[in-house]
Amino acid sequence: MILLTPFDLALASLLILINAGLSLFLRLGIGRQLMISAARATAQLSLLGFALKFIFELIHPGLLGLMVLFMLATAGWEVMRRQSLRFAGPWGFGIGTGAMCLSSFLITLFALMVIISQDPWYTPQYAIPLLGMILGNTMNGIAIGLDRLTQTLWEKKAIIETRLMLGQRFSEAVSDIRKDSIRSGMIPIINAMSVAGIVSLPGMMTGQILAGAPPMEAVKYQILIMFLIAGSTGFGTIFAVTAGARRLSDHRERLRLDRLKKY
């Protein structure tokens, strides 16, 4: 494996600086955001590297559990922050976090205990990277699905209320919107699988090949990861959108947009 030096990373960072300069020149208004995101990624990944070195050496389920809880909480917070219309109260954090816990966490357990069959199954070297890849992609799907749901319900308030006045149940009145929201959340992973190996070389496969793994072994792991991500994204998005839609109604079958806050 070719080891990278700080100078190599500094050269790569020039690409970020050039893009920030172009943003300033074209008045795109994203230069500062791009720089902050790059700095955050550098700091966060560096801290993660130190933490993982410590966790890998101990192989303790308690430490792994704390790491998993931190990852889930952070992902839930990010899902909430990405919504321009957020659920009021603890629901804003709870729906996304609950959906990811029921999908990403359980599917990761399934992969570790049934498919990979590593002994012990909680070996951090396998558990943390696997959960991270599944959780990150599931988070994106859930965020997109919930954002599509709340935005569309807000924009089509009059249409939905007319349907309710004509005697439709709430689930029937929002059925099309719910389906479109779930489809929107699934589009990124569907696109990724459609072009894998033709237009793009997925990150995990590329990393393994660069590290010296046989190409076919890298391909097998990449197929496994993409299937796990697709399953988790599907389950998580369906749960989150369904729970979100249910939260925006009550026992009298009314549309309750007062349970949303606009940011």
Side-chain angles (χ1 to χ4, degrees):
M1 182 176 64
I2 299 174
L3 298 179
L4 297 176
T5 66
F7 179 72
D8 296 327
L9 299 180
L11 287 176
S13 70
L14 291 176
L15 300 174
I16 302 296
L17 295 174
I18 292 172
N19 274 279
L22 289 173
S23 172
L24 182 63
F25 178 74
L26 298 174
R27 299 181 181 179
L28 300 179
I30 60 172
R32 182 172 177 272
Q33 188 177 4
L34 183 64
M35 295 289 289
I36 292 175
S37 297
R40 279 189 59 181
T42 302
Q44 290 166 183
L45 289 172
S46 298
L47 289 173
L48 177 62
F50 288 115
L52 289 181
K53 182 180 178 182
F54 175 71
I55 294 173
F56 285 179
E57 291 174 352
L58 290 181
I59 312 183
H60 193 284
L63 285 176
L64 177 63
L66 290 176
M67 187 77 177
V68 168
L69 289 176
F70 177 76
M71 293 168 69
L72 282 171
T74 304
W77 178 257
E78 285 297 321
V79 167
M80 183 178 68
R81 286 182 64 248
R82 295 183 188 187
Q83 311 300 311
S84 54
L85 290 166
R86 301 177 190 172
F87 291 90
W91 292 93
F93 178 78
I95 290 177
T97 306
M100 285 183 288
C101 184
L102 290 173
S103 58
S104 301
F105 182 66
L106 293 180
I107 285 181
T108 301
L109 279 180
F110 167 72
L112 290 171
M113 300 178 72
V114 178
I115 300 176
I116 298 177
S117 300
Q118 173 66 25
D119 186 26
W121 63 266
Y122 53 81
T123 301
Q125 182 181 352
Y126 293 91
I128 293 177
L130 192 61
L131 177 62
M133 286 184 285
I134 296 173
L135 186 61
N137 287 274
T138 303
M139 178 188 73
N140 290 331
I142 290 174
I144 293 171
L146 285 177
D147 190 61
R148 178 68 176 270
L149 173 73
T150 54
Q151 288 282 358
T152 308
L153 288 178
W154 189 277
E155 293 169 359
K156 295 186 176 181
K157 174 184 177 182
I159 296 174
I160 296 168
E161 290 184 336
T162 300
R163 290 177 179 176
L164 294 173
M165 289 173 62
L166 292 174
Q168 283 190 339
R169 296 179 62 85
F170 183 82
S171 59
E172 297 172 326
V174 302
S175 176
D176 292 340
I177 296 173
R178 186 172 60 242
K179 291 176 184 177
D180 286 342
S181 300
I182 294 171
R183 278 194 288 264
S184 296
M186 290 294 295
I187 284 175
I189 183 58
I190 291 174
N191 288 343
M193 288 193 294
S194 298
V195 301
I198 299 177
V199 177
S200 68
L201 289 179
M204 179 183 179
M205 174 182 167
T206 303
Q208 285 189 312
I209 292 174
L210 289 174
M216 282 309 300
E217 287 303 313
V219 166
K220 292 177 186 177
Y221 270 95
Q222 187 60 58
I223 293 173
L224 170 64
I225 291 300
M226 298 195 87
F227 287 175
L228 294 175
I229 289 172
S232 179
T233 302
F235 295 149
T237 304
I238 291 170
F239 177 86
V241 170
T242 302
R246 191 59 206 158
R247 175 60 184 165
L248 296 178
S249 68
D250 58 21
H251 66 284
R252 295 173 59 185
E253 299 290 328
R254 296 179 299 178
L255 178 62
R256 296 293 303 273
L257 292 181
D258 58 297
R259 292 176 174 175
L260 293 175
K261 290 184 178 181
K262 200 165 186 177
Y263 288 84

mmCIF file of all heavy atoms in Angstrom, residues 193-209:
data_model
loop_
_atom_site.group_PDB
_atom_site.id
_atom_site.type_symbol
_atom_site.label_atom_id
_atom_site.label_comp_id
_atom_site.label_asym_id
_atom_site.label_seq_id
_atom_site.Cartn_x
_atom_site.Cartn_y
_atom_site.Cartn_z
ATOM 1 N N MET A 193 -26.279 2.031 -7.912
ATOM 2 C CA MET A 193 -26.182 0.642 -8.348
ATOM 3 C C MET A 193 -26.247 0.521 -9.865
ATOM 4 O O MET A 193 -25.596 -0.335 -10.459
ATOM 5 C CB MET A 193 -27.302 -0.190 -7.709
ATOM 6 C CG MET A 193 -27.117 -0.436 -6.221
ATOM 7 S SD MET A 193 -28.231 -1.715 -5.548
ATOM 8 C CE MET A 193 -29.821 -0.915 -5.761
ATOM 9 N N SER A 194 -27.023 1.412 -10.490
ATOM 10 C CA SER A 194 -27.198 1.337 -11.941
ATOM 11 C C SER A 194 -25.912 1.613 -12.703
ATOM 12 O O SER A 194 -25.682 1.031 -13.772
ATOM 13 C CB SER A 194 -28.284 2.332 -12.393
ATOM 14 O OG SER A 194 -29.530 2.008 -11.816
ATOM 15 N N VAL A 195 -25.074 2.504 -12.178
ATOM 16 C CA VAL A 195 -23.861 2.902 -12.919
ATOM 17 C C VAL A 195 -22.591 2.307 -12.325
ATOM 18 O O VAL A 195 -21.496 2.561 -12.824
ATOM 19 C CB VAL A 195 -23.739 4.441 -12.971
ATOM 20 C CG1 VAL A 195 -24.948 5.046 -13.644
ATOM 21 C CG2 VAL A 195 -23.561 5.030 -11.565
ATOM 22 N N ALA A 196 -22.722 1.505 -11.261
ATOM 23 C CA ALA A 196 -21.531 0.916 -10.630
ATOM 24 C C ALA A 196 -20.794 0.009 -11.607
ATOM 25 O O ALA A 196 -21.391 -0.865 -12.234
ATOM 26 C CB ALA A 196 -21.936 0.122 -9.389
ATOM 27 N N GLY A 197 -19.500 0.231 -11.736
ATOM 28 C CA GLY A 197 -18.684 -0.587 -12.619
ATOM 29 C C GLY A 197 -18.658 -0.124 -14.056
ATOM 30 O O GLY A 197 -17.849 -0.613 -14.851
ATOM 31 N N ILE A 198 -19.544 0.813 -14.421
ATOM 32 C CA ILE A 198 -19.568 1.329 -15.790
ATOM 33 C C ILE A 198 -19.170 2.798 -15.803
ATOM 34 O O ILE A 198 -18.211 3.202 -16.453
ATOM 35 C CB ILE A 198 -20.964 1.160 -16.426
ATOM 36 C CG1 ILE A 198 -21.336 -0.322 -16.475
ATOM 37 C CG2 ILE A 198 -20.985 1.761 -17.829
ATOM 38 C CD1 ILE A 198 -22.721 -0.583 -17.014
ATOM 39 N N VAL A 199 -19.939 3.605 -15.056
ATOM 40 C CA VAL A 199 -19.641 5.036 -14.971
ATOM 41 C C VAL A 199 -18.741 5.327 -13.777
ATOM 42 O O VAL A 199 -17.838 6.150 -13.848
ATOM 43 C CB VAL A 199 -20.951 5.857 -14.872
ATOM 44 C CG1 VAL A 199 -20.647 7.341 -14.707
ATOM 45 C CG2 VAL A 199 -21.819 5.615 -16.107
ATOM 46 N N SER A 200 -18.980 4.643 -12.670
ATOM 47 C CA SER A 200 -18.214 4.925 -11.450
ATOM 48 C C SER A 200 -17.643 3.645 -10.854
ATOM 49 O O SER A 200 -18.205 2.553 -11.027
ATOM 50 C CB SER A 200 -19.117 5.609 -10.414
ATOM 51 O OG SER A 200 -20.107 4.706 -9.956
ATOM 52 N N LEU A 201 -16.530 3.801 -10.161
ATOM 53 C CA LEU A 201 -15.970 2.732 -9.346
ATOM 54 C C LEU A 201 -16.242 3.095 -7.889
ATOM 55 O O LEU A 201 -15.706 4.080 -7.391
ATOM 56 C CB LEU A 201 -14.459 2.596 -9.573
ATOM 57 C CG LEU A 201 -14.033 2.025 -10.927
ATOM 58 C CD1 LEU A 201 -12.514 1.986 -11.014
ATOM 59 C CD2 LEU A 201 -14.598 0.623 -11.133
ATOM 60 N N PRO A 202 -17.106 2.342 -7.204
ATOM 61 C CA PRO A 202 -17.487 2.688 -5.835
ATOM 62 C C PRO A 202 -16.289 2.810 -4.896
ATOM 63 O O PRO A 202 -15.254 2.161 -5.090
ATOM 64 C CB PRO A 202 -18.401 1.530 -5.424
ATOM 65 C CG PRO A 202 -18.928 0.995 -6.711
ATOM 66 C CD PRO A 202 -17.804 1.148 -7.691
ATOM 67 N N GLY A 203 -16.461 3.625 -3.868
ATOM 68 C CA GLY A 203 -15.363 3.965 -2.971
ATOM 69 C C GLY A 203 -14.735 2.788 -2.260
ATOM 70 O O GLY A 203 -13.505 2.682 -2.178
ATOM 71 N N MET A 204 -15.549 1.882 -1.732
ATOM 72 C CA MET A 204 -14.984 0.762 -0.980
ATOM 73 C C MET A 204 -14.148 -0.137 -1.891
ATOM 74 O O MET A 204 -13.037 -0.545 -1.530
ATOM 75 C CB MET A 204 -16.099 -0.056 -0.335
ATOM 76 C CG MET A 204 -15.569 -1.250 0.455
ATOM 77 S SD MET A 204 -16.879 -2.248 1.145
ATOM 78 C CE MET A 204 -15.915 -3.522 1.959
ATOM 79 N N MET A 205 -14.672 -0.422 -3.067
ATOM 80 C CA MET A 205 -13.950 -1.265 -4.015
ATOM 81 C C MET A 205 -12.634 -0.611 -4.427
ATOM 82 O O MET A 205 -11.586 -1.266 -4.464
ATOM 83 C CB MET A 205 -14.837 -1.506 -5.235
ATOM 84 C CG MET A 205 -14.161 -2.246 -6.369
ATOM 85 S SD MET A 205 -15.292 -2.423 -7.759
ATOM 86 C CE MET A 205 -14.132 -2.933 -9.031
ATOM 87 N N THR A 206 -12.681 0.671 -4.722
ATOM 88 C CA THR A 206 -11.480 1.399 -5.115
ATOM 89 C C THR A 206 -10.440 1.385 -4.000
ATOM 90 O O THR A 206 -9.247 1.172 -4.235
ATOM 91 C CB THR A 206 -11.827 2.855 -5.481
ATOM 92 O OG1 THR A 206 -12.809 2.855 -6.518
ATOM 93 C CG2 THR A 206 -10.595 3.606 -5.959
ATOM 94 N N GLY A 207 -10.898 1.616 -2.758
ATOM 95 C CA GLY A 207 -9.985 1.614 -1.621
ATOM 96 C C GLY A 207 -9.306 0.273 -1.423
ATOM 97 O O GLY A 207 -8.099 0.203 -1.150
ATOM 98 N N GLN A 208 -10.070 -0.811 -1.566
ATOM 99 C CA GLN A 208 -9.485 -2.144 -1.399
ATOM 100 C C GLN A 208 -8.465 -2.446 -2.486
ATOM 101 O O GLN A 208 -7.411 -3.034 -2.223
ATOM 102 C CB GLN A 208 -10.589 -3.203 -1.408
ATOM 103 C CG GLN A 208 -11.391 -3.261 -0.126
ATOM 104 C CD GLN A 208 -12.315 -4.468 -0.112
ATOM 105 O OE1 GLN A 208 -13.032 -4.730 -1.060
ATOM 106 N NE2 GLN A 208 -12.300 -5.203 0.987
ATOM 107 N N ILE A 209 -8.770 -2.053 -3.717
ATOM 108 C CA ILE A 209 -7.834 -2.300 -4.819
ATOM 109 C C ILE A 209 -6.552 -1.504 -4.615
ATOM 110 O O ILE A 209 -5.441 -2.021 -4.814
ATOM 111 C CB ILE A 209 -8.492 -1.948 -6.170
ATOM 112 C CG1 ILE A 209 -9.615 -2.949 -6.472
ATOM 113 C CG2 ILE A 209 -7.463 -1.956 -7.297
ATOM 114 C CD1 ILE A 209 -10.420 -2.613 -7.708
#
